[in-house]
C-alpha cells in the first residue's frame, strides 16, 4: 500500500526549507513518500494548482496534501480534484486579493490548520472563517506567518494526522 505526502511551499519559499524538511522526516517515519514540487517559476497560485494537478498520483492509495501559505491555497483548490485522504494547512492564504478562489470544496473531512496569532501576512480570522465553514481542526498559536517557532508542535500533530489519514 503506497502512501504519499505532497508539500506545496509558499509564494516566496523554497521546496525544501525548514518546514518541509521537518515534515518529510515525520512522513518517512510513518511510511509515506514525500515530495515537494518546485513552484518558484511562477507566483500565480492558479498556475501552481495546475502544476500540482499534473502530478501522476495513480500509484498511491493514500494521499495527503500539505501546504504553507500560498501552498495551502494550492493544496485546497487541488483537493477538489485529487480527493486526498487529508489536508494539512499551515497559515493558509485564503480570502486574499489576487487569489481567484474565495470558495472551497476540499472533498475531505480530515482537515487540520495551523495559524499564528502574530501573522501579519494572512489575517488569523481568515483561517478561522475557513475552519468554521469546513469544520476543520484549528490550532491558533503564538507565532508569526512562518510558524517556525512552533515547528515541533506542528510536527507532533502532523504525525498523529498522518496516522489518522492512513487508518
Amino acid at each position: 500500500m503506497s502512501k504519499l505526502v505532497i508539500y506545496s511551499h509558499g509564494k516566496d519559499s523554497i521546496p525544501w526549507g525548514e518546514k518541509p524538511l521537518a515534515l518529510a522526516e515525520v512522513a518517512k517515519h510513518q511510511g509515506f513518500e514525500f515530495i515537494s514540487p518546485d513552484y518558484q517559476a511562477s507566483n500565480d497560485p492558479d498556475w501552481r494548482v495546475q502544476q500540482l494537478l499534473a502530478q501522476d498520483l495513480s500509484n498511491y492509495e493514500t494521499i495527503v496534501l500539505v501546504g504553507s501559505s500560498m501552498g495551502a491555497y494550492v493544496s485546497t483548490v487541488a483537493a477538489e480534484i485529487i480527493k486526498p485522504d487529508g489536508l494539512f494547512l499551515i497559515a493558509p492564504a485564503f480570502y486574499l486579493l489576487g487569489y481567484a478562489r474565495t470558495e472551497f470544496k476540499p472533498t475531505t473531512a480530515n482537515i487540520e490548520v495551523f495559524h499564528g496569532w502574530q501573522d501579519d501576512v494572512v489575517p488569523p480570522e481568515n483561517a478561522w472563517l475557513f475552519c468554521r465553514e469546513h469544520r476543520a481542526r484549528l490550532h491558533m498559536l503564538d507565532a508569526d506567518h512562518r510558524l517556525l517557532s512552533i515547528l515541533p508542535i506542528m510536527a507532533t500533530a502532523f504525525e498523529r494526522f498522518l496516522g489518522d489519514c492512513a487508518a
Side-chain angles (χ1 to χ4, degrees), residues 106-144:
T107 71
T108 178
N110 196 8
I111 305 171
E112 193 147 343
V113 178
F114 275 81
H115 209 98
W117 286 116
Q118 311 305 322
D119 193 328
D120 59 0
V121 178
V122 180
E125 48 271 22
N126 293 16
W128 183 84
L129 280 170
F130 174 85
C131 289
R132 183 182 65 177
E133 181 177 348
H134 298 285
R135 303 291 185 261
R137 187 180 296 129
L138 175 61
H139 304 268
M140 291 298 301
L141 297 157
D142 190 17
D144 63 12

Side-chain angles (χ1 to χ4, degrees), residues 1 24-25 58 60 67 85 89 91 93 121 133 138 141 143 146 163 165:
M1 179 167 81
E25 200 59 39
S58 58
Y60 298 98
D85 297 278
L89 308 174
V121 178
E133 181 177 348
L138 175 61
L141 297 157
R146 297 185 66 216
C165 290

